[in-house]
Amino acid sequence: MRTVNYVWRGRLANLEFLSRYDVVRKNRPKMDIVKLSGIGTLLVFPSLKYRLMGGQCRDAQKQMEAIDIPIISCSLQNITVVGHFGSSINIKKLSAILKSKATQHVYEPEIFASVLVRFKDVKVNIFGTGVLVFLGAKHVIECYSALYKLRNI
């Protein structure tokens, strides 16, 4: 399994650093969007709260402080992890099995080509190719736990 995205959240001390960047302003919701080269995309809200999304941004606080962005707080909101089941999967059949076991899931092939399985701490998109996309986890161990549960269904 491989972590492909990190989402961080926190609060900034001020917005003065924005003058050093090309900022895209959005009104709904009101926010400034800043592309931080090699780090990710920073969404800054008028309340000084922020979200930082980036592929391999494993330590957002350290990376943002290194480029003089004044942070008050920083915590990991969630990660996205990609894995592979090891073989292709008949997702229509999987959906029927999940239904028979009363496992919370969504399968709407007309809308999206995966089965979305919901566990307590993580959601998993399961594609027919065997690719698994784990969403909402805070730690990779939660993804391994979900994979273990899936293998035992």
Side-chain angles (χ1 to χ4, degrees):
M1 285 202 253
R2 174 174 63 94
T3 304
V4 296
N5 189 47
Y6 294 82
V7 178
W8 298 86
R9 68 178 173 192
R11 184 175 292 278
L12 300 166
N14 61 62
L15 301 177
E16 294 169 11
F17 73 95
L18 288 175
S19 63
R20 299 191 316 257
Y21 295 94
D22 291 327
V23 176
V24 175
R25 290 211 153 79
K26 298 286 182 179
N27 288 321
R28 292 184 188 252
K30 190 172 174 96
M31 67 178 146
D32 292 331
I33 302 170
V34 182
K35 302 282 185 182
L36 300 173
S37 180
I39 297 175
T41 301
L42 181 66
L43 308 178
V44 180
F45 302 95
S47 63
L48 297 179
K49 290 182 179 179
Y50 71 87
R51 296 289 185 277
L52 175 65
M53 297 166 262
Q56 295 302 315
C57 188
R58 291 189 174 112
D59 189 345
Q61 185 165 352
K62 188 176 185 179
Q63 289 181 302
M64 289 172 61
E65 287 173 347
I67 57 174
D68 295 323
I69 295 179
I71 298 174
I72 292 175
S73 65
C74 183
S75 62
L76 182 64
Q77 182 172 327
N78 64 60
I79 59 175
T80 303
V81 175
V82 175
H84 199 280
F85 203 70
S87 63
S88 61
I89 299 169
N90 181 331
I91 56 177
K92 185 175 181 180
K93 187 174 178 180
L94 173 63
S95 178
I97 293 167
L98 292 168
K99 186 175 184 177
S100 72
K101 297 192 180 252
T103 303
Q104 190 176 12
H105 74 289
V106 176
Y107 177 54
E108 297 181 19
E110 303 84 19
I111 297 172
F112 196 64
S114 79
V115 174
L116 175 65
V117 182
R118 290 187 174 101
F119 294 105
K120 181 182 175 191
D121 298 323
V122 65
K123 296 176 189 152
V124 186
N125 272 319
I126 304 170
F127 295 88
T129 59
V131 170
L132 307 170
V133 179
F134 299 86
L135 308 161
K138 289 191 185 248
H139 307 283
V140 175
I141 193 72
E142 294 168 352
C143 302
Y144 280 105
S145 175
L147 180 60
Y148 178 78
K149 291 173 187 174
L150 285 170
R151 288 191 181 274
N152 290 315
I153 289 179

